[in-house]
Amino acid sequence: MSLSHDLFARARVHMPGGVNSPVRAFAAVGGEPVFFERAEGAHMWSVDGKRFIDYIGSWGPMICGHAHPKIVEAVQHAAANSLSFGTPSPGEVTMAEMLCEMIPSLDQVRMVNSGTEAAMSAMRVARAATGRERFIKFEGCYHGHADSFLVKAGSGAQTLGVPTSPGVPKALAELTLNARFNDLDSVEALFKQYPDEIACVAVEPIAGNMNCILPESGFLEGLRELCDRYGSALLFDEVMTGFRVHPKGAQGLYGITPDLTCFGKVIGAGMPVGAFGGKAEYMKLVAPSGPVYQAGTLSGNPVAMAAGIANLELLGQPNFYEHLGQITASLADGLQAKADAAGIPMTTVAVGGMFGFFFSDAERVTNFDEAAACDLERFKKFFTGMLAEGIYLAPSAFEAGFVSSAHSPADVIETLAAAEKVLSEIAG
Ligand SMILES: *Cc1c(COP(=O)(O)O)cnc(C)c1O
């Protein structure tokens, strides 16, 4: 059989499910995952030598394409000077300066090693700053796998959170309140129920973990207003959207100033990195300048900083976002046209270098329930068909897609030709 198959068989012996992160296992789409060993620009090569056009970009970091020479060079240079010092080093300072300059809502940042850590730590700061313990999140938004975030609403958004995963203490889950994305009334109802108890509202300003869902007009503004009215912090989780949808993140795109923001993915260029930051009044609470404990042996790692800095520098190239936005829109519009031609109901979304497509006859999809109501069976067939054609899409209907500056019009044409073929096969 194939090398991928052999590797997966071996992987399952000593790794739970054969993977180090669940969505990689293809459980939502069936079949076996493809193992990759090399990638360049918009293309990845499997261990069996098959070439794919990549639309996951390592789930976001690869906004400049794989193995960009400038990033590889920065990493090699940093690595030659030691992989880690465990002391302050210059790259951390440059990274902090760049982030605070690029994102106006940031006075200070703390580097961490993943988006999960960023969200978990930012939440701790919000709780400390407000002296409150409950917080609101939205069903279908993902903020990493820290205990507090692995909580779903019970029956209706007004009930106390129940753990989504065994191992999450009930006592902790009860502090997590779930609202509906794009539904301000569901948020206000929770504030009215717990007017003095909500530390923060945590939100993906563009939801990218239930496919790709844009905020409806007024939604983010409304969250800002409710947080101000009730003395809560507004926490934007821009681990996915940060530098992906706009040079100033989703907050720049929509003109909203959050109190705290989380980053990851793009700022590490593929190295394990996250960051959280915000207004000085919050960040001054973080140890050692304040009492909120937060630490990391490898935080601000010099190799990771070098990769991230090189990635952020590349974003400053002339017309970077115009080009990225155009190529992404041409893909989404093209998919829509192919689906229309095949008589398959589809709704597409594109924003910056991020896109989504739903097998749905709704005009647009605005929340988790609507995303879950899409034709998941058809998605599965589409995914499998596209994979066979050498197009690597996210192996789940609940993930966004990612385009890089290395994707060319020829890549889009090849992708759309494959889509036309696969859509006609799965029509009816
Ligand atoms: C990916 C992601 C995370 C988690 O980041 P990890 O680096 O996987 O821990 C958190 N929030 C959002 C919005 C994400 O997309």
Side-chain angles (χ1 to χ4, degrees), residues 21 59 113-119 141-145 203-206 208-209 237-241 262-265 272-274 399 402:
S21 196
W59 302 98
N113 303 289
S114 67
T116 293
E117 245 189 281
C141 282
Y142 180 65
H143 305 291
H145 65 89
V203 66
E204 288 180 72
I206 296 168
N209 288 285
D237 182 346
E238 297 226 41
V239 170
M240 186 181 288
T241 54
C262 300
F263 297 95
K265 297 186 173 126
V273 171
E399 303 286 352
F402 301 101

Side-chain angles (χ1 to χ4, degrees), residues 71 74-93 95 111 113 271-273 297-310:
I71 297 171
V75 165
Q76 286 172 338
H77 181 78
N81 287 325
S82 178
L83 297 180
S84 180
F85 306 112
T87 69
S89 59
E92 302 168 271
V93 185
M95 174 62 88
M111 299 308 299
N113 303 289
M271 297 293 289
V273 171
T297 302
L298 299 178
S299 294
N301 173 271
V303 182
M305 294 304 96
I309 290 164

Side-chain angles (χ1 to χ4, degrees), residues 26-115:
F26 276 31
V29 289
E32 289 190 351
V34 182
F35 282 64
F36 286 90
E37 61 180 1
R38 184 168 75 83
E40 189 182 329
H43 303 142
M44 301 202 291
W45 284 266
S46 74
V47 292
D48 292 294
K50 185 174 162 78
R51 190 204 74 158
F52 293 81
I53 301 178
D54 175 27
Y55 289 107
I56 65 165
S58 188
W59 302 98
M62 298 302 169
I63 194 165
C64 297
H66 290 274
H68 192 288
K70 287 247 161 61
I71 297 171
V72 172
E73 188 192 317
V75 165
Q76 286 172 338
H77 181 78
N81 287 325
S82 178
L83 297 180
S84 180
F85 306 112
T87 69
S89 59
E92 302 168 271
V93 185
T94 305
M95 174 62 88
E97 286 170 351
M98 286 179 90
L99 290 175
C100 292
E101 176 154 332
M102 293 166 92
I103 308 282
S105 74
L106 304 178
D107 293 327
Q108 292 196 318
V109 292
R110 165 63 54 89
M111 299 308 299
V112 295
N113 303 289
S114 67

